[in-house]
Amino acid sequence: MSDPDTGPAGRSHGEPAPLSAIRLNVNDQVRRLEVDPRTSLLDALREHLRLSGTKKGCDHGQCGACTVLVNGRRVNSCLSLAVMHEDDEIVTIEGLGDPDHLHPMQRAFVENDGFQCGYCTPGQICSAVGMLAEVEAGWPSHATTDVASPQIALTDEEIRERMSGNICRCAAYPNIVAAIRGTAEGGTR
């Protein structure tokens, strides 16, 4: 029989969970943290490491504003626990480039006006970088016309399908597609 004054882990209601010591490799820098084991990767980045480029949008994995790269793959950081990413390589928008040395995708978003309010832009850019790596690896999408082909044709439809997890409330989608297409075709180097 359980005690009504304790929760499922035997702790009193309101008693904080013991902290977990973790080591995160973020933007090529190892950072040590003590976090509640229930802390999302998003909250670890924003609240503990003060990397505010990764945005908190829906906090349900539906908008893509929190997208970061983990071991080269795009991840909704709001749906992932920080303790799961010890020894992973995490790249945020701050790790892709800086104002003096923009990543080609960042430069393409500027040149193509791929943002309006800018809130979704960090997630859009990280997702686009990860998406191009998926295309280069030959991973098909629902829009891929020939899944047997070793080379995927990066049509506008293909880009839109692959970026569908990233919402832009300002509807800058045509410019986002143009920025991604330009980077994929070797522009803005």
Side-chain angles (χ1 to χ4, degrees):
M1 182 157 245
S2 68
D3 183 343
D5 292 329
T6 62
R11 294 187 305 272
S12 297
H13 291 291
E15 184 180 325
L19 298 180
S20 294
I22 61 172
R23 191 180 67 242
L24 297 177
N25 180 352
V26 181
N27 301 329
D28 291 325
Q29 186 178 12
V30 175
R31 308 289 296 272
R32 297 182 190 284
L33 301 171
E34 286 194 7
V35 297
D36 181 307
R38 300 166 292 185
T39 302
S40 69
L41 178 57
L42 171 62
D43 287 338
L45 294 170
R46 288 185 59 81
E47 306 302 326
H48 294 272
L49 298 179
R50 300 293 182 215
L51 294 169
S52 59
T54 305
K55 302 300 186 209
K56 184 176 277 208
C58 67
D59 222 12
H60 288 72
Q62 297 173 338
C63 73
C66 68
T67 304
V68 297
L69 299 170
V70 177
N71 298 327
R73 295 184 64 183
R74 47 193 175 151
V75 169
N76 287 341
S77 62
C78 73
L79 296 181
S80 190
L81 297 175
V83 296
M84 296 168 52
H85 294 289
E86 199 155 29
D87 298 323
D88 287 342
E89 291 184 25
I90 301 163
V91 178
T92 67
I93 192 69
E94 293 93 346
L96 282 179
D98 61 58
D100 294 328
H101 303 94
L102 293 176
H103 182 280
M105 188 65 73
Q106 291 172 311
R107 193 173 310 110
F109 266 68
V110 171
E111 291 173 1
N112 289 280
D113 197 21
F115 55 90
Q116 293 199 7
C117 78
Y119 195 81
C120 72
T121 305
Q124 295 272 1
I125 291 172
C126 285
S127 187
V129 169
M131 182 268 292
L132 289 181
E134 293 166 10
V135 169
E136 191 165 314
W139 296 2
S141 78
H142 289 291
T144 304
T145 55
D146 183 4
V147 295
S149 173
Q151 188 111 30
I152 294 171
L154 200 57
T155 64
D156 286 357
E157 181 182 3
E158 185 79 33
I159 293 170
R160 285 196 284 287
E161 169 63 27
R162 289 173 181 272
M163 292 297 292
S164 64
N166 291 80
I167 296 171
C168 175
R169 290 185 234 177
C170 300
Y173 297 116
N175 300 350
I176 291 169
V177 170
I180 294 168
R181 173 175 297 298
T183 304
E185 293 172 352
T188 66
R189 287 186 188 242

